[in-house]
Every structure is written in C-alpha cells, then in structure tokens.
C-alpha cells in the first residue's frame, strides 16, 4: 500500500528521523558495513522502500538508483536479487526510467538475463518491459535478447515462461517473434561441444537452456522475503 504525506506525518513519532534521513542512514550503513549479511539486509530494505512512489525523489537525491545498478554486476547473487528488484520497483516512474536509461541501464539489466536464478530472471524481464520507450525499444528487443526470451518461453518454470511470452507478444513485432523462434531453433540444432560457450552478439554468457526452478536457501532470500525495518519512520 502506497503512503501519503499526511499518513507519514501521522505515523512518524515526534523527534524521530524523517524519511530522507532514514534512507540516508540506510545508505551510509550499506557503504560502511563490513558484514555481508548486513549489506544484504540493508539492500533488501532499500528495495522494499523502492516500492512506494513517495520515496522516489529521495532515492534519486541519495543516488540509490545508481546503487541498485551497481549491484547488478556483483558476484554475490543475493545482492543482485535485491538490486534488480529495486530497479524493477522504480522503473515505471518517468524520472526514474530516464535516469536508468541515461546511465547505461539497459546494458546492465540485460546482462542479468544470463543468470540461472529464477527471481533475477523474472525481475529482469519485467524491468526490461518497464523500460521500453520509442528510443530504448530497439536495444531492448535486440536479437540476443529475443533469443533469451524465446529460450525462457521453454522454461519448466511457468512463471518464467509466462512473463517471457508476454514480452514477445506485447513488445515485439510478428517478424521479431519469428526471428526469436528461428534463433532458438538454430541454437538448439547447432552441433556444439558446450552450449555454455555460445556467445551472443554482446558476449553475454547465456545459459545453456531453460533455467531450472530456483531452490531457496536460508542464506539466499528472494524479493518476497523483503521485510521493512521495524525501526524508523513508517
């Protein structure tokens, strides 16, 4: 449920941190923390705050969008989950979208298609759909992206196959859909010793086939595990 300024004023105790100060505190905690679990928890909460439009101006002011983008290239998969989750939550807003597109966001998001983590793939496809504009559409529907989407359409995960199908049907022309099927069929029939090494036009290390259903572990929270910090303004 989205917040309003009146709601925030009513719920924030006198003398407590306001929303901007609280978000600044989270960013500082992330930047100064040496503990991986602490960084993951802070990023999870930032991604959660990114769901509410009332926080968008603060997040732009504190460069939190750039922090999320930086997380997309992290070796820690959990940070990538929350980074792409935060970007996905922010991307529909016009100003946020402009900022993401102006900072090489498409390329950074597209790289996440090489993940085998189901949550990352779902957030990535959804984010790409949110980022479509007349200017960005050619990059978002480039051949290597189309091949990924066609491959995901054959995923054993219904969630992945459904969202990939929506991408192809709603954001691609009939010719592009045909091209995607042809690319997928050519790749499937190619005589290769290891399909993990098949390069894409942008050298994205694409997965060898439909990603397996992700199995959550205690140390790898998913976006559904994001819980707001109990202390601070509400």
């Amino acid at each position: 449920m989205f917040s309003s300024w009146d709601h925030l004023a009513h719920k924030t105790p006198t003398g407590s941190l306001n929303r901007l100060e609280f978000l600044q505190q989270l960013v500082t905690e992330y930047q100064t923390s040496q503990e991986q679990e602490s960084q993951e928890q802070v990023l999870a909460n930032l991604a959660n705050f990114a769901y509410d439009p009332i926080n968008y101006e603060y997040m732009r002011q504190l460069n939190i969008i750039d922090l999320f983008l930086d997380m997309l290239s992290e070796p820690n998969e959990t940070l990538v989950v929350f980074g792409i989750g935060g970007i996905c939550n922010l991307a529909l807003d016009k100003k946020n979208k402009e900022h993401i597109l102006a900072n090489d966001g498409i390329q950074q998001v597209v790289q996440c298609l090489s993940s085998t983590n189901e949550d990352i793939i779902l957030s990535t496809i959804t984010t790409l759909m949110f980022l479509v504009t007349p200017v960005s559409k050619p990059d978002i529907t480039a051949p290597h992206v189309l091949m990924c989407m066609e491959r995901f359409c054959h995923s054993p995960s219904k969630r992945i196959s459904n969202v990939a199908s929506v991408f192809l049907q709603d954001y691609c022309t009939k010719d592009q859909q045909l091209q995607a099927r042809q690319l997928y069929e050519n790749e499937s029939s190619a005589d290769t010793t290891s399909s993990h090494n098949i390069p894409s036009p942008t050298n994205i290390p694409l997965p060898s086939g439909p990603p397996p259903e992700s199995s959550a572990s205690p140390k790898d929270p998913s976006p559904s595990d994001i819980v707001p910090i109990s202390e601070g303004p509400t």
Side-chain angles (χ1 to χ4, degrees):
M1 181 171 135
F2 298 148
S3 303
S4 67
W5 292 112
D6 289 340
H7 175 76
L8 288 180
H10 176 72
K11 297 290 288 184
T12 302
T14 302
S16 64
L17 295 174
N18 63 36
R19 185 60 62 93
L20 176 60
E21 291 171 334
F22 186 60
L23 289 172
Q24 176 66 78
Q25 187 179 73
L26 286 176
V27 172
T28 301
E29 182 179 347
Y30 178 85
Q31 293 172 336
T32 59
S33 176
Q34 300 299 316
E35 298 293 330
Q36 180 173 295
E37 290 186 7
S38 296
Q39 289 185 323
E40 292 171 357
Q41 182 61 44
V42 169
L43 197 67
N45 280 279
L46 287 173
N48 187 69
F49 279 114
Y51 178 74
D52 194 336
I54 203 168
N55 297 316
Y56 289 171
E57 182 61 38
Y58 298 147
M59 292 193 150
R60 289 191 293 267
Q61 185 176 339
L62 296 172
N63 298 318
I64 293 174
I65 300 177
D66 299 292
L67 176 62
F68 286 146
L69 287 172
D70 289 342
M71 293 303 102
L72 304 188
S73 58
E74 282 288 324
N76 181 341
E77 188 175 75
T78 302
L79 294 181
V80 180
V81 168
F82 295 129
I84 189 62
I87 291 295
C88 188
N89 284 343
L90 292 164
L92 267 180
D93 177 80
K94 182 180 179 180
K95 290 183 179 180
N96 294 339
K97 181 184 303 188
E98 290 173 351
H99 183 91
I100 294 167
L101 295 176
N103 287 272
D104 197 30
I106 294 176
Q107 180 64 24
Q108 295 178 72
V109 171
V110 165
Q111 292 290 342
C112 293
L113 291 174
S114 64
S115 176
T116 56
N117 180 292
E118 182 173 13
D119 292 321
I120 292 175
I121 293 171
L122 288 169
S123 293
T124 299
I125 299 174
T126 304
T127 299
L128 288 173
M129 290 191 285
F130 289 167
L131 290 176
V132 169
T133 69
V135 175
S136 66
K137 190 172 183 179
D139 291 329
I140 293 175
T141 59
H144 59 286
V145 177
L146 297 180
M147 184 168 64
C148 280
M149 297 304 170
E150 181 65 27
R151 180 182 297 152
F152 291 145
C153 286
H154 298 271
S155 169
S157 165
K158 287 298 183 182
R159 294 200 301 162
I160 289 178
S161 62
N162 287 342
V163 74
S165 297
V166 169
F167 180 97
L168 290 172
Q169 293 169 11
D170 291 359
Y171 295 91
C172 300
T173 65
K174 294 295 184 183
D175 287 342
Q176 286 177 317
Q177 293 175 35
L178 177 60
Q179 180 186 25
R181 287 193 293 271
Q182 291 174 337
L183 288 170
Y184 175 78
E185 291 169 0
N186 291 341
E187 181 200 43
S188 298
S189 61
D191 181 19
T192 60
T193 56
S194 175
S195 56
H196 281 284
N197 295 325
I198 298 175
S200 76
T202 56
N203 295 318
I204 299 174
L206 299 173
S208 58
E213 299 261 11
S214 62
S215 56
S217 65
K219 294 184 178 180
D220 294 319
S222 71
S224 61
D225 298 320
I226 300 176
V227 178
I229 290 178
S230 57
E231 299 179 356
T234 60

